[in-house]
Amino acid sequence: MARVDYTERIPNNVSLADNRRLLRALEEWQPRYLDWWREMGPEGFQARDVYLRTAVSVDAQGWAHFDWVKMPDYRWGIFLAEPEAGRTIAFGEHRGTPAWQEVPGEHRGTLRRLIVTQGDTEPASVEQQRHLGSTCPSLYDLRNLFQVNVEEGRHLWAMVYLLHAHFGRDGREEAEALLQRRSGDSDKPRILGAFNERTPDWLSFFMFSFFTDRDGKYQLAALAESGFDPLSRTCRFMLTEEAHHMFVGETGVGRVVQKTCELMRKHDTDDVRRFGGIDLATIQRYLNFHFSVSLDLFGSEISTNAANFYTAGLKGRFEEAKKTDDHVLREAAYPIMRPEGDRIAIVEEPALTALNERLRDDYIADCQRGVDRWNAVVRRNGLDAELRLPHRGFHRAIGNFAELRVAPDGRIVSQAEWDARKSQWLPTPDDQAFIGSLMTAVVEPGAFAGWIAPPARGINGQPAEFAYVRLG
Ligand code: BYC
């Protein structure tokens, strides 16, 4: 079961052919999506054949399909995970009642906003990454970038399907607006902060894929718990695609670290810039930046929005079903960090309003596991250095720490100390210029830029010199 019908103009496993109105509406949106893709998608490679993976079914084996595709011909479509028979809502005031197949009237506005916020990030990331192709460190990396991009495009389709299928005229208008906003545009910016930042180079791209896509994993996991079953099923399938994006980020940074360590050993110095590598101090500053802007994506520590989403059964916790409490949380407390005077205190807050912080805690623990694996690369090279996640209060624009200056080690510092040391903590114009200077395209099959090590293995078992993108 769950084969995807690729004979349709819009591949899908939701029997779109049986709903003529919906089909027509989506077929009208499709050419506008393609216009957006041509205008804002990867620049310069639209006519090239790329070795891409496509879902042919939504089960675990359905991912094994690789083929040569020109990106505008990628079969974007609508894939939901299989329905779970008898699924009930796992949390909040409707706990134990059947999951909704239609949007409950009283939650219409809230659900629409959650879906639009999620949907907005997908095209935003494609826009942020659209210039990277011209500076790829290898054909392997170029192909991974494009795989990520087409899948983000599909994630937009996933949210647009929900808007069209369940939110009537409002939904159709929101689907249009998703194609109108632009990352970084001061008149019509994308909704969330991190998605208006630039991704000007490949170190930023790998950090973004590690840190910001991981926010995607946690937000999608929380929405996969939703009592609104179509949203849950959509997010469950999106999570299978998301895993590859984080793989690209984690292995990308890991390979940069590996190359840096090789140069450090060879030349017996930390200052590997002279030898075309990226020094660990610069990697740390990029890490600090991308971690902190991604932490903001979880919203404020104390949020009545989050409490309402939960109580209404719209957005759960990470792995809600595995938790052993009452899944209602009216009586429960949760520890959060809050500045008090010149120190940061841990205080108990009602668990319901602290749900954003709880998700952020799960996210931070997951980030730490990835950083530990990067540090294992350093240790395997016999070097004594360590990358660290900065304190959660560092460089924040949302929530309890937004008005404060917090050092990476968690000390609240004066504006004067911040100004004096900021260049040690966040990427400087000099760092950006240096990283920019390394960004020259390497497109010979099997070759890699001098600042990054080759991957441990090729995509789909392909050999090292495989031409993942045919440049003609
Ligand atoms: N920037 O109550 P609060 C992904 C707004 S990434 C700008 O603290 P709430 C992906 C907030 O909207 C995952 N504004 O926040 C990754 C609210 O506005 P209103 C994306 C922000 O509502 C890589 C006000 O501040 N998915 O998939 O509890 C590549 C008060 O906020 C920000 C989702 O985000 C910000 N950073 O939670 C591709 C899931 N933070 O109501 C894709 C859906 C907060 O006063 N979204 N605000 O107008 C949500 O669950 C929630 O909207 C948020 C915010 C978690 C984002």
Side-chain angles (χ1 to χ4, degrees), residues 329-348:
L329 304 180
R330 271 199 205 97
E331 311 298 329
Y334 191 80
I336 67 150
M337 285 190 201
R338 189 167 66 202
E340 280 184 359
D342 58 0
R343 63 183 203 98
I344 293 170
I346 296 179
V347 293
E348 295 273 312

Side-chain angles (χ1 to χ4, degrees), residues 113-115 117-119 121-123 125-126 128-129 152 155 191-195 208-209 212-217 219-220 223 238 242 245 293 295-307 309 315 356 359 398-399:
R113 216 180 82 215
L114 280 171
I115 291 168
T117 307
Q118 176 64 51
T121 63
E122 317 290 0
S125 69
V126 175
Q128 288 171 296
Q129 295 162 15
E152 300 300 9
H155 289 184
I191 295 170
L192 297 173
F195 294 90
F208 180 97
S209 308
T212 309
D213 277 273
R214 194 172 308 274
D215 168 51
K217 167 182 165 184
Q219 298 295 345
L220 289 174
L223 294 173
M238 288 164 79
E242 203 64 47
H245 307 184
V293 298
L295 287 183
D296 277 340
L297 292 172
F298 290 82
S300 309
E301 290 80 358
I302 300 299
S303 165
T304 48
N305 283 348
F309 298 156
K315 182 180 175 189
N356 284 345
L359 196 60
I398 301 274

Side-chain angles (χ1 to χ4, degrees), residues 106-118:
E106 71 271 32
H107 301 316
R108 201 180 161 81
T110 314
L111 257 178
R112 192 185 65 212
R113 216 180 82 215
L114 280 171
I115 291 168
V116 167
T117 307
Q118 176 64 51

Side-chain angles (χ1 to χ4, degrees), residues 170-191:
D170 297 354
R172 290 193 293 277
E173 284 172 8
E174 294 285 12
E176 283 308 310
L178 284 165
L179 297 176
Q180 302 304 323
R181 287 186 288 273
R182 291 285 181 273
S183 174
D185 185 319
S186 53
D187 293 332
K188 38 178 188 160
R190 293 294 175 180
I191 295 170

